[in-house]
Every structure is written in structure tokens, then in C-alpha cells.
Amino acid sequence: MMSKILVTGFDPFGGEPVNPAFEAVKLLPDEIAGATVVKLEIPTVFTRSATVVEEAMVREQPDYVLCIGQAGGRSALTVEKVAINLAEARIPDNDGEQPFDMPLREDGGTAYFATLPVKAMVRNINDHGIPAFMSYTAGTYVCNSIMYNVLYLIDRKFPGVKGGFIHVPYATAQGVGKPNGTPTMEIATMARGIEAAIEAAVSTETDATDILGATH
Amino acid sequence: MMSKILVTGFDPFGGEPVNPAFEAVKLLPDEIAGATVVKLEIPTVFTRSATVVEEAMVREQPDYVLCIGQAGGRSALTVEKVAINLAEARIPDNDGEQPFDMPLREDGGTAYFATLPVKAMVRNINDHGIPAFMSYTAGTYVCNSIMYNVLYLIDRKFPGVKGGFIHVPYATAQGVGKPNGTPTMEIATMARGIEAAIEAAVSTETDATDILGATH
Amino acid sequence: MMSKILVTGFDPFGGEPVNPAFEAVKLLPDEIAGATVVKLEIPTVFTRSATVVEEAMVREQPDYVLCIGQAGGRSALTVEKVAINLAEARIPDNDGEQPFDMPLREDGGTAYFATLPVKAMVRNINDHGIPAFMSYTAGTYVCNSIMYNVLYLIDRKFPGVKGGFIHVPYATAQGVGKPNGTPTMEIATMARGIEAAIEAAVSTETDATDILGATH
Amino acid sequence: MMSKILVTGFDPFGGEPVNPAFEAVKLLPDEIAGATVVKLEIPTVFTRSATVVEEAMVREQPDYVLCIGQAGGRSALTVEKVAINLAEARIPDNDGEQPFDMPLREDGGTAYFATLPVKAMVRNINDHGIPAFMSYTAGTYVCNSIMYNVLYLIDRKFPGVKGGFIHVPYATAQGVGKPNGTPTMEIATMARGIEAAIEAAVSTETDATDILGATH
């Protein structure tokens, strides 16, 4: 039987007409390395994004859940290692929520590590000629929030499902008007990178053993 | 009775004659805001650093433990919010250990949040005219390791003690020979910033409520 | 009669199999806004690049000369304003020349400003959704050298010809293995941007009057 | 007979209470390597700054003129190689002038190279443990303007005088409130670096032969 991966991207936010995260998801093929790809646009909202993803996990019963969000200013695709039980929002989300110093789940762990094979994903993106790095912080906004919620839900209700998160840079067109030095990436490139990550995710039993890590 | 804070800094590493982290610690006064300051140089070693700090915590019975390390490339003092249960070393430590994909404590939580009032510390450093930010990743090397171990030990053996970590940039003199664009800070400035952080730490019952957080 | 633009790109260099500058030039259409596009690969060599371009200028009698080179580390297309009479090479060129503290032309001016409408070019690249900036330094290597030589030749031998230079970032694939934070751009994006620049160059009599400039 | 160096720094600008450039100049000793140091605060104004410096050059008859300005965002002291005959102001100066696309001197050269021994200055700053680089663009605002005017005046009216310019980063205290990643330097460190640069300037007959230059 084919395996299935649920891939989410956030809806437009902050007055932007599109969100490159979901634009990249839309470009993915419907099948990658023998796995069915289910694409889901989710609201840029702390509370509702978790509900929407949980409903989709019940409905679709995916083997893998990969969420995509944007970290403007980063230069590469970054595969996230860890999500923390903290909401700290510099700006309100699309529902006007602006939590700070708040746990995402009162009964959740302080953090969860991604259960997808993150090193294999980084390596396969690079092997496709697209810059990628491991990241050890998914931030404190809705990106960290949805990654945390997915891993919490897997831990509580969906045993065996593998979950993770990838941050994408600003799209190239978003770079116009931003300060000189701001890195960008084409949305089509993001999509090819995410496809490579998914290919690794759905075909890797044991993660790669590259030594990544921070330098401090 | 006076309170007591244990402040650690790593010993020289990677062929450098001094480590700015401990050089800054050495410049601290012996008393800050009514708290006795105990300074401790610790080895840049995953395993032994934890042993040395635990022994000092037993011996000194501090009310606060603040560890200082260097994150070359950062531009400001960064007060760390969270330590994760992961060792991933790009280079061997001073004992030649190079763990990767390893938990720091088999029986530890996935992560611990700092128990020092991190926002008040960031604010007071800034109030003293020195750039400081909250950080949500302490890396994966000995800095994260000692922060994690201190918070683990507090959780298990030293209830009520408050612990945390501050990363310092490259010292100004270390900038010579590094690529153009590399930020640096004078060691004396680091010391003044750490002093401001300690002042906030030992006099703040409830943390500040500034909204910090990442922008993604 | 149709006008003609000569567009040059450097050949591969430093062990790389391709040079994104010329790869982008190769993707240009053969006609842009009514101007014939003549593409020329030139050697990454101080002396010979000038000879090769001068020969092409004699042979082709272009109305415009636009040279393309790479400035790894920049995030956007940068249209150069000025070339200086200085060769200062950190590494030898493809013929092993490594001049330093040397004027490019003993009898040349200290500098020449581009005679192409640089502001209109920056604006039109941006209008096509691609980040671009004016730059006030073309470096001190073969890029500055060929820009200087073209403007010197125009001044002495090809009155009325308009000349200029555009730097491109690292190509996306070149970002793999480079430090995290290194900006890149797809070669196809560079080509679209250069095409927009040429469109502005060959259809603009008077340059735009946007206020650009540095902030210091 | 002792030689004499005129050292200028701009006055406060853009609502800031002090300008680190002149604050650093004020910290210089009155004699460096046998040369008398004459310190001069000059207005952050295109036109008047040139007049004020010319008057001081007539009055003081210095052997050397070194101007200091700020380039916020740079990480190191940068000794400028070249000034260009262009005013392009993003914001009005302290007199409300905002020239753009304007030559600084109708009868001036397109550019002038610094006549101070710039490589020896970079090297001696580094030898004093302070990061410094050569720069090939002094911008397009009042910094480039005063450097250009000094070199123009030397060329026309003050033969044999040596002139140049050093850009300083943001002061450390200015980093508070600026984006994370913004490099800064202590004003006292700037002063020590400028002193080292002057020491090299007034004692070097022939410039150093380090290979500097850009990498593109």
C-alpha cells in the first residue's frame, strides 16, 4: 500500500497577496517516491492552525506530516530539529491573537524533536543543488506553534506518524524593496527542495549520520 | 543573608590563548546588587564541564547559576531561553570528545527553559547601553550542554535555584583576520553587560513582560 | 536600423565547471526591445579580457556594451556606477596574472562612470520582480578591470557608445556547501533581470531620477 | 620640525545627541608619533563641510588631513581608497541640502585616490588588535563628499599634503534598538584604531605592499 504525506503551508499574511510557503507546496507533484502527497493550506493563526491540521490528520491518516513556513532573512531551506512549548508573538496573527510568554499546550512537553529523518532531508536537498541547513530554532510564532502541535498530537494520538517542519526564505520577488543583503529563493526552487526533502523522508528508515550541529 | 550567584566561563579552546567568556567573567565585581559573585572557569568539555559545575553547586550552594560562553558571529549579548537534550559537535572538545545525535542525559527532558528572569536581563543590559537579545537556540555544542546540565541538575537536585546562560560575541581583538562583516564586542563591554544581567537576575522576582520572540 | 548591444560574461574560473555570469548571458534572447544582442564569453584574465572585448567592439560596432560578472555574497543584481583605475588581485587570474597596486591604464582617468542609464536599469529590474541595487564599487579584480577598460575604450575610441556592468550573486546551486546565510539567485532569474536591464538601457534616452545612493 | 595632521569628525546628525566619529576624534592624543594632532568638528553638510576644512587647511597648513565619518552597518574600521565626484543623498543633510546625480566639483576629476598610505594604515590598526579593512567605496553622502573635496583641494591648492578618510562602525551604545546582527564598536576602540592609523600615516614614506583588494 502507498504511504501518504500531509504537507501544509500557511495562508497569506501581513497584507501580502500570497504566502510563498503554500505557493511552493502547491507546486509539489501529487506523488513523491511512491507516497501520496496531500496538500493543505492552513490559517496563519495560533489556535486554528492546530485544529485544522488535527482534523486533516484524522481525515487523511497520513504516515508523515510536513509543515512549511517562511523565515524571512534565512538564505536556505532549513529543516527544523526541535519545537518548543512557547508562544511569543511580535505581531498579532490573522485572527488577532498575540500570545506571549504562553505555553502552547499546558500538558505538553517543554519541547519535541522532529521525528522525520532531518539529516537525510538536509542531505537530499543539498544533493539536488539547493542550499539547506539544519536549524535548531523554529522561532516562537505560528511556525514553531504548528510544528509543536503536530509533534504533540503525534505523541498523544497518532503513534508512529513522523512529523517535521521546513522553513523557506523570502521569495525572490519579495526581495524587491527589502534591504540590500536580504537573501531570497525562487518559489520553484523551494518546491524542488521540499520535494527532495519528502523523497528522503518517505524512503529513509534510519536517519543519516552527517555531523551537523551549530559551531558554538 | 546575602544571596549568591555562581558564574561560569569556559577555558581557552581551539588554540586560542584566552577565552573571552571567562575573561569577561573575571572582570565582574565580587558583589552585584547585594549578591556574592563566585567565578568559576570550567573546561570546554562535554562531560567534565557538567561534573565541575555540579561540584561547585554542591560546594557553594548558590541561589543562581549563570553560565557564559561564546557564539562567534553574533553581534550582541544573547540571553538563552532554552537548552535542548542534544549533543552534536562539529569539532572535538578539549578532551577529544565529539558526540553527535546523542542525548546529553538519557533520563532528561527534551528541553528545559531557563529559570532566570531572561526578559528582565535582556532589558537591563540594553538599559546599560549594550546590545542584547533573547535567543531561542543555545546551539548543540558545550554551551547548550552546560546550560542543559545546569537546568537538569536544578530540576533534580537543587530545587529553587535559578539557572541560565548568556552567549557573548567574538572579542574585538578576535575580529582581526576574520571576514569583513564579522561583529565583535570588547571584553570589558561584555563584562558590563553580564553585570547588568546579574543585577536584574538577583533583584527580579517576576520576569519582565516585554514582548520579544522571533519574527517567524 | 536596429541598435546592437554587446553583452559579455566571464568564462569558468577557480576550478568551477561553469561561470553563472556567462550562463545567464547565454539565456538572453537574441533581440531585446528592438536591439540585437551579441553574446561574448571572455577570459577571466586582466589583460586578455580587454583585448577580446576591444576586438569585438571593432568587429560588431555595438551601440551598447554591457559586461556581466559575479560578486559572490551579494544578494541582488547590482548595476555598477563607477570603475576605478586600479588592479588589486587577491588571487591569480586564469593566466596566472596577479597585479596589485597597479593602474589598469597608465594614461587613463582615475575612474569612469558608467554611461548606460544605470538608474533606469535598476528600476526596470525591480519592476520585473527581481531585487536590484546600484553599487558604487565594482571591486578591484577582473570585473572592475573589464568595466574600466570598456569605459576607457569608449572614451578614447568609440565615442557615443554606452557602457556598463552588472554583478550577479552566487547561483543557487553554488550555495550548497557555502556558509549558512550566503545569498544566491537562480541563473534563470539573473537572465530575466539582465534582460530587463537591457530593455531599459536600449530604450532610455535620459536616465531615471530615482534617488539611490548609499546611506553614509 | 614637527609635522601636523588635521583630523576631522562630523557633528551630530539625524537627531542623535552625539556623532561617534567626532567623539572618537576627541579621544585622540594631541601628539602621535611626533606629529601634532589638530582636531576639527565639521558640519554634516555637503557645501559647508568643504569650506570649513579648506579654511582649516589654510590656517593650520597641515602635512596630513584625515577625515572620519560613520558607516553604520560596517563591522570594522575601513580605510577608504577612493572618493568619487558624485553627490547622491538619500536624506537631507544638516542644512537641508539633498543633492542627487550631481558632481561635487564641476571641474574636478571623476575620482581621486587617497594619498595617505592606506595599506600601512590598515595593517597598523590590525596590529593593534582592532579589525580594519580597505574599502573601495566611501558612499555618496557627506563622507565621500568631504574626502573628495579634500583630495581635490590637495590636487589644486595644497601640493604634497596627504589626505584620506576612515569610516567607523556604529558605536556600541547605538546598537541598542537596532536589528539583531548589527555590528558595533566602542568609541574608545575607534580612537585607538584611528591613533594607530595616524601613527602609520605620519611615519610611512612608502606604503605597505600587502595584497588587499576585493574578491570579485
Side-chain angles (χ1 to χ4, degrees):
Chain A
M1 202 184 106
M2 284 184 73
S3 64
K4 187 188 281 186
I5 182 164
L6 174 65
V7 187
T8 77
F10 287 106
D11 64 5
F13 177 69
E16 301 276 342
V18 297
N19 186 324
F22 189 62
E23 295 304 304
V25 170
K26 283 199 290 188
L27 294 180
L28 293 175
D30 294 322
E31 186 185 319
I32 297 174
T36 303
V37 176
V38 177
K39 306 166 190 179
L40 181 68
E41 186 173 21
I42 62 176
T44 302
V45 175
F46 277 93
T47 308
R48 280 201 295 126
S49 60
T51 316
V52 167
V53 172
E54 182 172 4
E55 286 167 0
M57 290 173 76
V58 169
R59 185 173 66 244
E60 299 286 350
Q61 296 291 315
D63 305 283
Y64 311 92
V65 181
L66 176 64
C67 303
I68 312 293
Q70 188 171 60
R74 293 191 185 175
S75 63
L77 298 185
T78 44
V79 182
E80 297 294 344
K81 175 68 179 175
V82 63
I84 60 175
N85 193 7
L86 177 71
E88 177 98 12
R90 283 186 179 274
I91 47 173
D93 65 22
N94 275 353
D95 277 3
E97 289 185 78
Q98 191 178 7
F100 67 95
D101 268 340
M102 294 279 292
L104 291 164
R105 297 273 185 172
E106 287 292 346
D107 65 342
T110 303
Y112 294 103
F113 288 127
T115 51
L116 286 169
V118 286
K119 288 184 168 182
M121 294 161 73
V122 170
R123 183 198 280 184
N124 203 42
I125 302 170
N126 280 328
D127 284 351
H128 283 72
I130 297 165
F133 291 90
M134 183 87 85
S135 163
Y136 300 95
T137 174
T140 61
Y141 198 53
V142 292
C143 291
N144 173 72
S145 172
I146 197 63
M147 180 179 174
Y148 182 89
N149 273 291
V150 164
L151 296 169
Y152 169 95
L153 290 167
I154 287 172
D155 184 56
R156 301 295 163 103
K157 302 186 182 174
F158 300 90
V161 173
K162 293 182 177 175
F165 193 98
I166 295 179
H167 266 117
V168 300
Y170 282 128
T172 301
Q174 290 179 296
V176 176
K178 297 228 163 45
N180 200 343
T182 304
T184 66
M185 184 180 279
E186 289 286 354
I187 290 172
T189 306
M190 297 176 190
R192 288 190 296 120
I194 295 167
E195 183 177 348
I198 291 173
E199 184 185 63
V202 302
S203 24
T204 305
E205 279 308 300
T206 312
D207 196 5
T209 53
D210 306 282
I211 297 179
L212 301 179
T215 52
H216 55 86
Chain B
M1 203 185 106
M2 286 184 71
S3 65
K4 186 189 281 187
I5 183 165
L6 174 66
V7 187
T8 77
F10 287 106
D11 64 4
F13 176 68
E16 300 276 342
V18 298
N19 186 324
F22 190 62
E23 295 304 304
V25 170
K26 283 198 291 188
L27 295 179
L28 294 175
D30 295 321
E31 187 186 318
I32 298 174
T36 303
V37 176
V38 178
K39 307 167 189 178
L40 181 68
E41 187 174 18
I42 63 176
T44 301
V45 174
F46 276 93
T47 308
R48 280 201 294 126
S49 59
T51 314
V52 167
V53 172
E54 183 172 3
E55 286 166 358
M57 290 173 76
V58 170
R59 185 175 63 244
E60 299 286 349
Q61 295 292 313
D63 303 283
Y64 311 93
V65 181
L66 176 64
C67 303
I68 312 293
Q70 187 172 60
R74 294 193 184 173
S75 64
L77 297 185
T78 44
V79 182
E80 298 295 343
K81 176 67 180 175
V82 62
I84 60 176
N85 193 7
L86 177 70
E88 177 99 12
R90 282 187 181 272
I91 46 172
D93 65 21
N94 275 352
D95 277 1
E97 289 186 76
Q98 190 178 7
F100 67 95
D101 268 340
M102 294 279 292
L104 291 164
R105 295 274 185 172
E106 287 293 347
D107 65 342
T110 302
Y112 294 103
F113 287 127
T115 50
L116 286 169
V118 285
K119 288 184 170 184
M121 293 160 74
V122 169
R123 184 199 280 183
N124 203 42
I125 301 171
N126 280 328
D127 284 350
H128 282 72
I130 297 166
F133 291 90
M134 183 87 86
S135 164
Y136 299 95
T137 175
T140 60
Y141 197 55
V142 292
C143 291
N144 173 73
S145 171
I146 197 64
M147 179 180 175
Y148 182 89
N149 274 292
V150 164
L151 295 168
Y152 169 94
L153 290 168
I154 287 172
D155 184 56
R156 303 294 164 102
K157 302 185 183 174
F158 301 90
V161 173
K162 294 183 176 173
F165 192 97
I166 295 179
H167 267 117
V168 298
Y170 283 126
T172 300
Q174 289 180 294
V176 177
K178 296 230 162 46
N180 200 344
T182 305
T184 65
M185 183 179 279
E186 289 286 353
I187 290 173
T189 306
M190 299 175 190
R192 288 190 296 118
I194 295 167
E195 183 177 349
I198 292 172
E199 184 186 61
V202 302
S203 22
T204 305
E205 278 308 300
T206 313
D207 196 5
T209 56
D210 307 282
I211 298 179
L212 301 178
T215 52
H216 55 86
Chain C
M1 201 186 104
M2 285 185 71
S3 64
K4 187 188 280 186
I5 182 165
L6 173 66
V7 187
T8 75
F10 287 107
D11 64 4
F13 176 67
E16 301 276 342
V18 298
N19 186 324
F22 189 63
E23 295 304 304
V25 170
K26 284 198 289 187
L27 295 179
L28 293 175
D30 294 322
E31 186 186 320
I32 297 174
T36 302
V37 176
V38 178
K39 306 168 190 178
L40 181 68
E41 188 174 19
I42 61 176
T44 302
V45 174
F46 276 93
T47 307
R48 279 201 294 126
S49 60
T51 315
V52 167
V53 171
E54 183 173 2
E55 286 166 0
M57 290 173 75
V58 169
R59 185 174 65 243
E60 300 286 347
Q61 294 291 315
D63 304 284
Y64 311 93
V65 181
L66 176 63
C67 303
I68 312 293
Q70 188 171 61
R74 293 192 184 174
S75 64
L77 297 184
T78 42
V79 183
E80 297 295 343
K81 176 68 179 173
V82 62
I84 60 176
N85 193 7
L86 177 71
E88 177 98 12
R90 282 185 180 274
I91 46 174
D93 66 22
N94 276 352
D95 276 2
E97 289 185 77
Q98 189 178 8
F100 67 96
D101 268 340
M102 293 279 292
L104 291 164
R105 297 274 185 172
E106 287 292 346
D107 65 342
T110 303
Y112 295 102
F113 287 127
T115 51
L116 286 169
V118 287
K119 288 184 169 182
M121 293 161 73
V122 170
R123 184 198 278 184
N124 203 42
I125 302 171
N126 280 327
D127 284 351
H128 283 72
I130 297 166
F133 291 90
M134 183 86 86
S135 164
Y136 300 96
T137 175
T140 60
Y141 198 55
V142 291
C143 291
N144 173 73
S145 171
I146 196 63
M147 179 179 175
Y148 182 90
N149 274 292
V150 164
L151 296 168
Y152 169 95
L153 290 168
I154 288 172
D155 185 56
R156 302 295 164 102
K157 302 186 183 174
F158 302 89
V161 173
K162 293 183 177 175
F165 193 97
I166 296 179
H167 266 116
V168 299
Y170 282 128
T172 301
Q174 289 179 296
V176 175
K178 296 229 163 46
N180 201 343
T182 305
T184 66
M185 184 180 278
E186 289 286 354
I187 289 172
T189 306
M190 298 174 189
R192 287 190 298 119
I194 295 167
E195 183 178 349
I198 292 172
E199 184 186 64
V202 302
S203 24
T204 305
E205 279 307 301
T206 312
D207 196 5
T209 55
D210 305 282
I211 297 179
L212 301 178
T215 52
H216 55 86
Chain D
M1 200 186 106
M2 283 184 73
S3 63
K4 186 188 282 188
I5 182 164
L6 173 66
V7 187
T8 76
F10 287 105
D11 64 4
F13 176 69
E16 301 275 342
V18 298
N19 186 323
F22 189 63
E23 295 304 304
V25 170
K26 283 199 290 187
L27 295 180
L28 293 174
D30 295 321
E31 187 187 320
I32 297 174
T36 301
V37 176
V38 178
K39 306 167 191 179
L40 180 70
E41 187 173 19
I42 62 176
T44 301
V45 174
F46 277 93
T47 308
R48 280 201 294 125
S49 59
T51 315
V52 167
V53 172
E54 182 171 3
E55 286 166 1
M57 290 173 75
V58 169
R59 185 174 65 245
E60 299 287 349
Q61 296 290 316
D63 305 283
Y64 311 93
V65 181
L66 176 64
C67 303
I68 313 291
Q70 187 172 60
R74 294 193 184 173
S75 64
L77 297 184
T78 43
V79 182
E80 298 295 344
K81 175 68 179 175
V82 63
I84 60 175
N85 193 7
L86 177 70
E88 177 98 12
R90 283 185 180 274
I91 47 174
D93 66 20
N94 275 353
D95 277 3
E97 290 184 77
Q98 190 178 7
F100 66 94
D101 268 340
M102 294 279 291
L104 290 164
R105 296 273 185 171
E106 287 293 345
D107 64 342
T110 302
Y112 295 102
F113 289 126
T115 51
L116 285 169
V118 287
K119 290 185 166 182
M121 292 161 74
V122 170
R123 184 198 280 185
N124 203 42
I125 301 171
N126 281 327
D127 284 350
H128 283 72
I130 297 166
F133 291 90
M134 183 86 85
S135 164
Y136 299 95
T137 174
T140 61
Y141 197 55
V142 291
C143 291
N144 173 72
S145 171
I146 197 62
M147 180 179 173
Y148 181 90
N149 273 292
V150 165
L151 295 168
Y152 169 95
L153 290 168
I154 287 172
D155 184 57
R156 302 295 163 104
K157 301 185 184 176
F158 301 90
V161 173
K162 294 182 177 175
F165 193 96
I166 294 178
H167 266 116
V168 300
Y170 282 127
T172 300
Q174 289 179 295
V176 176
K178 296 230 163 47
N180 199 344
T182 304
T184 66
M185 185 181 277
E186 289 286 354
I187 291 172
T189 305
M190 298 175 190
R192 287 191 296 121
I194 295 166
E195 183 178 348
I198 292 172
E199 184 186 63
V202 302
S203 25
T204 305
E205 278 307 300
T206 312
D207 196 5
T209 53
D210 306 282
I211 297 178
L212 301 179
T215 53
H216 55 84

